[in-house]
Amino acid sequence: MKYFFLSEGWAVARVWAADGLWQITAWRRQPDIQRLNICLVEHNESLWLYRVEEAVLTVEVKPLTPINTSDTIGQVVLKRLMTAEQVLERLCTAQAKCQLQNIQLVVQ
């Protein structure tokens, strides 16, 4: 598995595998990309952790609401996805706060 952090308000657009742009008709499915229930907050911005399957090499992300000003970012291509070890290192260096909505799911 590979991972990346994505800011709240952004979504995955196009995805690339080893043979190029992900083709749903060729793969016969969407790429496996899941938002996990882990979030970092930096500078009042929520960064959600996403997990992607190993076949994914590159992910393009875009804001959910396009902004038409020239000084904002319209899209970003993530070429260096993280390993699980890199995610743990990042979480360990962050000032993390755990918020649980259902403690029973943790203690069972």
Side-chain angles (χ1 to χ4, degrees), residues 69-80:
T69 60
S70 61
D71 62 339
T72 59
I73 298 172
Q75 68 186 39
V76 176
V77 176
L78 306 174
K79 293 185 178 183
R80 292 186 179 169

Side-chain angles (χ1 to χ4, degrees), residues 22-67:
W22 190 280
Q23 297 292 328
I24 297 171
T25 54
W27 285 83
R28 296 185 181 194
R29 63 179 176 82
Q30 294 280 350
D32 184 16
I33 301 175
Q34 299 176 3
R35 186 175 104 171
L36 304 177
N37 288 328
I38 298 174
C39 174
L40 289 178
V41 177
E42 289 184 345
H43 308 290
N44 294 325
E45 183 176 4
S46 297
L47 303 170
W48 289 95
L49 182 61
Y50 282 76
R51 178 178 59 208
V52 299
E53 65 181 280
E54 196 63 36
V56 173
L57 296 180
T58 305
V59 177
E60 177 187 63
V61 296
K62 293 183 177 183
L64 291 173
T65 55
I67 303 169

